[in-house]
Amino acid sequence: VGGTPAAVLKLFGTKEKLLLAVLDHWDGITREIAQQGDPRLARLDGLANLMSYHVQHKGLLQLYTTMAAEASTPQHPAHDYMVARYKRTLNDMKGQFRDAAAAGHLRSMTETEVQREGEFLLAAMDGLQIQFMLVPDYDLVASFNDYVAAVLARLKISPS
């Protein structure tokens, strides 16, 4: 963009703060994509669209994953940001399952089941995305779509 390192330092203060600003912008985009999913499907189709976005923007996914791993130590400048983001993301996912079940689109679930579904979904996304970054021919979109199909099959309402 034509800026100098001194200008970047003046605007953001540190490299970590610059990276956090990039991640914060990326987070807004990814939240918007994810929320475009069908509430009857617990918005899992929106998350599938998010996997397609990650394939097209692999560098941002790599930045996020690197920062998430580095920020696992409380001393890291991005630690609080990442902890808050994970908590918010997990709460969003639990809410999606809770809302779909309450509306009768998925089978009824206990609060513990809702908690676990959110945790499993977040873990599956993280794990599949890491495989995508490490294995050159890994099909992130197909793998995530298979995961979503299995979740929906397991949680669908049984015919009476």
Side-chain angles (χ1 to χ4, degrees), residues 8-41:
V8 171
L9 185 60
K10 184 174 180 168
L11 284 171
F12 294 98
T14 66
K15 179 178 100 173
E16 287 81 11
K17 288 181 181 176
L18 169 62
L19 294 176
L20 282 174
V22 170
L23 286 175
D24 198 42
H25 176 73
W26 174 80
D27 187 47
I29 292 169
T30 60
R31 286 174 59 86
E32 183 178 319
I33 293 167
Q35 288 303 312
Q36 292 174 3
D38 187 339
R40 295 171 297 177
L41 302 174

Side-chain angles (χ1 to χ4, degrees), residues 56-120:
Q56 297 165 9
H57 300 89
K58 190 174 183 176
L60 288 171
L61 180 61
Q62 289 169 323
L63 171 63
Y64 168 76
T65 304
T66 299
M67 288 290 284
E70 290 176 358
S72 64
T73 60
Q75 299 78 20
H76 192 277
H79 179 77
D80 292 342
Y81 172 88
M82 287 301 202
V83 168
R85 185 184 186 285
Y86 262 82
K87 185 180 283 189
R88 185 188 71 239
T89 301
L90 180 58
N91 284 334
D92 288 348
M93 290 174 172
K94 291 185 319 188
Q96 292 166 195
F97 284 112
R98 191 179 296 114
D99 293 348
H105 303 301
L106 299 178
R107 68 167 175 77
S108 179
M109 291 188 276
T110 66
E111 195 55 34
T112 299
E113 289 174 310
V114 167
Q115 174 75 26
R116 294 297 178 253
E117 289 300 334
E119 292 168 348
F120 297 155

